[in-house]
Amino acid sequence: MTLKQYREIIDDYKADVINRYYSGLINEERTAYLIGKLDAWFANSKRNGSR
């Protein structure tokens, strides 16, 4: 998988997290935590190269 594909997947997950926040399904702290985890996942995939 290329880094561009990872970025697209992460962007889709982020959009889902934000939609859940605005729908009232998760709170602000959980939203920030999940987005931080997604960014860390992408940073790690960049560091390790695409698989």
Side-chain angles (χ1 to χ4, degrees):
M1 192 175 289
T2 66
L3 288 176
K4 183 179 179 187
Q5 290 170 319
Y6 275 121
R7 182 82 256 170
E8 290 170 356
I9 291 169
I10 289 170
D11 287 344
D12 288 344
Y13 277 122
K14 281 184 179 181
D16 184 55
V17 167
I18 291 168
N19 285 335
R20 288 172 188 244
Y21 170 71
Y22 283 117
S23 297
L25 298 173
I26 57 177
N27 63 22
E28 187 175 345
E29 292 81 19
R30 185 70 178 160
T31 301
Y33 170 78
L34 291 171
I35 289 177
K37 283 293 204 180
L38 290 169
D39 286 337
W41 180 46
F42 181 69
N44 189 39
S45 66
K46 280 176 55 174
R47 191 174 331 119
N48 294 331
S50 60
R51 296 183 178 106

